[in-house]
């Protein structure tokens, strides 16, 4: 075991850092202005232009298998890249990737949905949450009933990221009510549903800068070939989608917090009160120290979760820990950094308040704090994971 990045990982980290500093951070003022005037943060053309530049650097399909044109750098590398990219709030995503569960599609589905998504020609979203089934995913109500060689979908989904922009949704619906009632997990199926099959979406206004959508399915007819994976086994796909997103939240929190902590250090050395820089006061030094320690702790949790996945091992326990700790750490750091900036921290001249609003979501989606605690404690109490066994 060695606790250093390899030469290759360090080289990639530096390259991404340069890309963020040179291409993304200079766009921050423009992004803030666009958002505050109610326009999209980045125009789609601008995003494409940036993705092209990233591609020229060699960053395309970071996590996509080579057979689909990606560079398949693995989860550890993805974690390192995400931590760097999250040092800015410019909402940049590397091109050439698709949701993990789309790889379960058959050859036809891969041609029709996976490859166009990787190529950036189609946008997807994933819909599990319903008005009465958020944390309690076993309380789903949406149904899919077979009629000839089609399934007829009825019900509502809520808080779906990208639901207003997506060309198709991967949606979870009950296909065997009895089985679902008996088991809670089986009896639901994942369907790929094109927008032009008839589902409607409506933007939900949130305290963040981007809004999810509510989706309505009113007798939407879906051909049977659009079942993703196995009939009645869709719950596992849902868990796999959510599971991946969990440790990614931790990685984002680390990136943001490192940038904010540096802002606090710079500001505290510059800002003078009562004749001295505030950096000379213990009241300012301690939150700086606490933040540095907590960022480091979150970083190791994230790297361990990613590394474990790269080994082909089950990382769910670690992913929950990385998400719970990372999300809460990010919220504590942004709050401390805002406090260190005093009134300036609260203004819209600086991006701290934007991050403050964004970070709050991390404690809610992809499983709330409380749900992560339930998972972690259940694993320990039932003996699925032994104390001290996570490395
Ligand atoms: C911006 C945003 C984007 C999202 N994107 C997606 C998406 O793309 N796809 C998708 O399917 N979903 C998405 N979600 C939904 C998200 O995953 C849910 O909001 C989340 O799981 C919580 O569910 P809920 O809002 O129904 O809260 P509830 O489940 O109603 O929970 C309310 C409160 O009770 C607590 N609680 C619930 N049960 C227990 C318990 N047993 N013990 C202790 N406390 C408990 C919760 O932790 C929470 O604090 C998104 C949500 C938001 C806000």
């Amino acid at each position: 075991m060695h606790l250093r990045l390899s030469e290759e990982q360090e080289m990639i980290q530096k390259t991404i850092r340069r890309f963020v500093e040179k291409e993304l951070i200079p766009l921050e003022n423009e992004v803030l202005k666009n958002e505050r005037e109610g326009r999209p943060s980045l125009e789609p053309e601008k995003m494409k232009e940036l993705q092209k530049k990233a591609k020229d650097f060699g960053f395309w399909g970071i996590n996509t298998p080579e057979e689909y044109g990606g560079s398949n750098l693995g989860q550890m590398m993805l974690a390192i890249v995400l931590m760097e990219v999250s040092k800015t709030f410019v909402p940049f995503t590397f091109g050439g990737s698709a949701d993990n569960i789309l790889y379960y599609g058959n050859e036809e589905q891969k041609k029709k949905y996976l490859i166009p998504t990787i190529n950036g020609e189609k946008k997807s979203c994933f819909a599990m949450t319903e008005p009465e089934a958020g944390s309690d995913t076993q309380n789903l109500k949406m149904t899919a009933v077979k009629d000839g060689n089609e399934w007829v979908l009825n019900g509502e989904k809520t808080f779906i990221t990208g639901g207003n922009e997506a060309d198709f949704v991967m949606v979870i619906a009950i296909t065997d009510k009895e089985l679902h009632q008996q088991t809670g997990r089986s009896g639901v199926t994942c369907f790929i549903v094109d927008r032009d099959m008839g589902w409607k979406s409506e933007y939900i206004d949130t305290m963040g800068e981007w809004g999810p959508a509510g989706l309505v399915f009113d007798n939407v007819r879906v051909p049977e070939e659009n079942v993703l994976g196995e009939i009645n086994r869709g719950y596992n796909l849902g868990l796999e989608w959510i599971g991946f997103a969990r440790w990614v939240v931790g990685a984002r929190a680390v990136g943001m917090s490192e940038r904010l902590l540096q802002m606090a250090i710079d500001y505290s050395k510059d800002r003078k009160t009562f004749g001295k820089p505030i950096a000379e006061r213990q009241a300012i030094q301690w939150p700086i120290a606490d933040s540095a320690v907590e960022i480091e702790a979150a970083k190791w949790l994230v790297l361990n979760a990613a590394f474990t996945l790269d080994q082909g091992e089950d990382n769910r326990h670690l992913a929950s820990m990385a998400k719970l700790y990372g999300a809460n750490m990010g919220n504590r750091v942004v709050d401390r950094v805002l406090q260190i900036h005093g009134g300036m921290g609260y203004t819209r001249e600086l991006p701290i308040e934007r991050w403050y609003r964004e970070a709050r979501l991390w404690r809610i989606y992809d499983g709330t704090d409380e749900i992560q605690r339930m998972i972690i404690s259940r694993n320990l109490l039932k003996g699925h994971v032994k104390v001290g066994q996570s490395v």
Side-chain angles (χ1 to χ4, degrees):
M1 180 182 183
H2 58 95
L3 298 173
R4 287 286 174 277
L5 299 186
S6 68
E7 257 177 55
E8 188 203 4
Q9 287 166 336
E10 226 174 277
M11 196 262 295
I12 293 178
Q13 185 190 45
K14 277 192 189 139
T15 310
I16 298 282
R17 194 169 288 172
R18 263 206 316 280
F19 177 77
V20 170
E21 284 168 4
K22 188 163 165 267
E23 304 293 344
L24 302 184
I25 291 180
L27 295 176
E28 286 185 348
N29 284 340
E30 186 184 325
V31 166
L32 280 182
K33 190 163 183 291
N34 282 343
E35 290 174 347
R36 281 160 192 173
E37 290 171 9
R39 289 190 297 272
S41 319
L42 270 185
E43 293 299 329
E45 298 74 46
K46 185 77 194 167
M47 177 65 94
K48 282 206 172 122
E49 188 192 313
L50 287 168
Q51 286 178 335
K52 160 97 182 38
K53 281 187 186 163
K55 195 175 184 179
D56 295 342
F57 269 89
F59 294 108
W60 182 259
I62 289 177
N63 230 18
T64 303
E66 279 118 348
E67 59 186 295
Y68 297 103
S71 37
N72 200 20
L73 295 178
Q75 313 296 327
M76 264 289 266
M77 211 52 255
L78 179 66
I80 293 165
V81 167
L82 285 175
M83 289 190 225
E84 290 305 316
V85 174
S86 307
K87 287 182 179 162
T88 176
F89 53 83
V90 173
F92 173 74
T93 47
F94 286 94
S97 63
D99 303 72
N100 52 354
I101 61 173
L102 260 184
Y103 289 92
Y104 288 102
N106 56 35
E107 286 315 307
E108 250 332 280
Q109 290 170 339
K110 283 182 180 161
K111 252 190 249 156
K112 201 166 165 200
Y113 299 102
L114 174 70
I115 294 171
T117 306
I118 291 173
N119 292 339
E121 292 149 12
K122 277 192 177 172
K123 282 199 177 113
S124 63
C125 66
F126 170 77
M128 173 100 117
T129 305
E130 296 182 3
E132 286 178 56
S135 307
D136 185 5
T137 49
Q138 299 185 359
N139 198 31
L140 294 172
K141 298 280 185 290
M142 186 163 169
T143 55
V145 176
K146 193 81 189 285
D147 182 23
N149 53 6
E150 290 178 321
W151 289 89
V152 184
L153 271 61
N154 277 293
E156 235 181 278
K157 296 287 172 183
T158 189
F159 294 132
I160 306 308
T161 302
N164 261 321
E165 299 80 23
D167 300 295
F168 68 94
V169 58
M170 291 164 286
V171 66
I172 304 280
I174 297 174
T175 37
D176 185 331
K177 207 171 172 185
E178 218 172 289
L179 185 62
H180 183 246
Q181 270 165 359
Q182 280 162 13
T183 61
R185 291 189 161 215
S186 300
V188 298
T189 302
C190 186
F191 296 88
I192 303 179
V193 191
D194 293 295
R195 187 179 286 272
D196 62 17
M197 289 175 184
W199 54 272
K200 304 267 181 292
S201 67
E202 198 172 333
Y203 178 83
I204 300 171
D205 205 5
T206 67
M207 68 190 266
E209 289 299 342
W210 44 273
L215 314 185
V216 176
F217 290 73
D218 182 10
N219 284 319
V220 173
R221 301 187 79 85
V222 181
E224 61 186 356
E225 59 267 24
N226 277 38
V227 167
L228 181 63
E230 288 175 57
I231 292 174
N232 291 335
R233 303 290 297 274
Y235 196 77
N236 292 346
L237 289 184
L239 291 188
E240 192 161 331
W241 189 90
I242 293 167
F244 172 73
R246 279 188 180 152
W247 63 266
V248 163
V249 169
R252 293 201 183 288
V254 168
M256 174 205 78
S257 301
E258 285 189 339
R259 172 88 185 280
L260 282 168
L261 179 58
Q262 191 56 53
M263 282 175 68
I265 292 169
D266 296 343
Y267 186 78
S268 66
K269 289 202 271 191
D270 204 41
R271 177 72 176 168
K272 288 195 180 76
T273 64
F274 306 98
K276 279 206 261 188
I278 56 172
E280 290 181 26
R281 313 279 176 189
Q282 193 182 56
I284 302 295
Q285 292 161 358
W286 285 23
I288 287 177
D290 287 346
S291 298
V293 174
E294 291 172 25
I295 293 169
E296 200 63 17
K299 190 184 282 182
W300 287 108
L301 280 172
V302 168
L303 290 176
N304 197 7
F307 178 81
T308 303
L309 207 54
D310 274 339
Q311 307 311 303
E313 294 165 19
D314 185 346
N315 83 337
R316 286 174 294 178
H317 188 72
L318 290 169
S320 281
M321 294 206 290
K323 198 229 172 213
L324 175 65
Y325 188 78
N328 281 273
M329 176 282 293
N331 276 268
R332 288 193 295 273
V333 170
V334 71
D335 187 61
R336 289 177 190 137
V337 170
L338 195 151
Q339 190 70 15
I340 289 173
H341 281 76
M344 277 310 292
Y346 193 65
T347 68
R348 294 195 164 204
E349 259 177 66
L350 294 179
I352 304 171
E353 65 81 32
R354 185 199 185 281
W355 261 315
Y356 191 90
R357 288 182 286 117
E358 185 169 325
R360 192 61 187 82
L361 173 63
W362 298 338
R363 296 183 50 205
I364 296 168
Y365 72 173
D366 295 322
T368 60
D369 285 358
E370 293 75 18
I371 294 302
Q372 305 310 329
R373 288 192 173 98
M374 272 169 58
I375 294 169
I376 296 164
S377 59
R378 188 180 56 210
N379 287 341
L380 291 165
L381 291 165
K382 294 205 164 173
H384 301 319
V385 177
K386 302 263 181 294
V387 174
Q389 198 197 33
S390 50
V391 282

